[in-house]
Amino acid sequence: LAALDSVDRTANGYLENIADWNEEIAAEIFAEEGIEPTQEHWDVVKYVRQETLDGNEPNERGIMKAMGKIWGRKVSSKEMYEMFPGMPSKQGLKIGGCPQSTRKGGY
């Protein structure tokens, strides 16, 4: 986990500075989270990262809608949780180098 050793992280493993992120760091966080990333995992991570950079806080519903557009099919909550067992918005933000969500629950 060489790249991760070079950046500051919170107690929960989120990057302290969103600008420190790169795909190498993301790949190491995927590994830490026990996720073998597919192109679809990367789509989610890049989407939540861009939303955060645009000043939005992505939620599950928004992620599912956006991925439905990108992937050209309906995306179920079940599928999202199979991809990101620790909650798509939370794990997506973490892997995307974004600050931890302050939201409590699902939507």
Side-chain angles (χ1 to χ4, degrees):
L1 298 172
L4 274 177
D5 292 340
S6 67
V7 296
D8 293 324
R9 297 167 81 195
T10 67
N12 293 334
Y14 289 77
L15 296 192
E16 295 271 359
N17 182 350
I18 195 167
D20 286 341
W21 185 86
N22 60 41
E23 290 196 6
E24 187 184 352
I25 285 173
E28 291 179 10
I29 301 173
F30 267 124
E32 268 186 3
E33 297 286 312
I35 296 171
E36 190 65 52
T38 63
Q39 182 55 53
E40 292 187 345
H41 284 92
W42 285 106
D43 289 342
V44 171
V45 167
K46 288 175 178 168
Y47 169 76
V48 298
R49 182 172 169 78
Q50 191 54 56
E51 281 293 289
T52 302
L53 290 169
D54 290 344
N56 304 318
E57 200 170 311
N59 61 27
E60 313 308 310
R61 190 184 305 243
I63 295 169
M64 282 166 26
K65 259 194 179 137
M67 292 310 109
K69 283 190 185 125
I70 294 171
W71 302 338
R73 59 182 164 79
K74 189 158 172 44
V75 180
S76 70
S77 181
K78 180 177 183 287
E79 181 182 1
M80 283 279 118
Y81 279 89
E82 281 167 1
M83 289 173 64
F84 293 96
M87 200 163 147
S89 58
K90 284 200 170 108
Q91 271 181 317
L93 288 169
K94 184 179 202 173
I95 296 164
C98 304
Q100 185 166 2
S101 172
T102 49
R103 284 215 176 115
K104 289 288 181 253
Y107 298 101

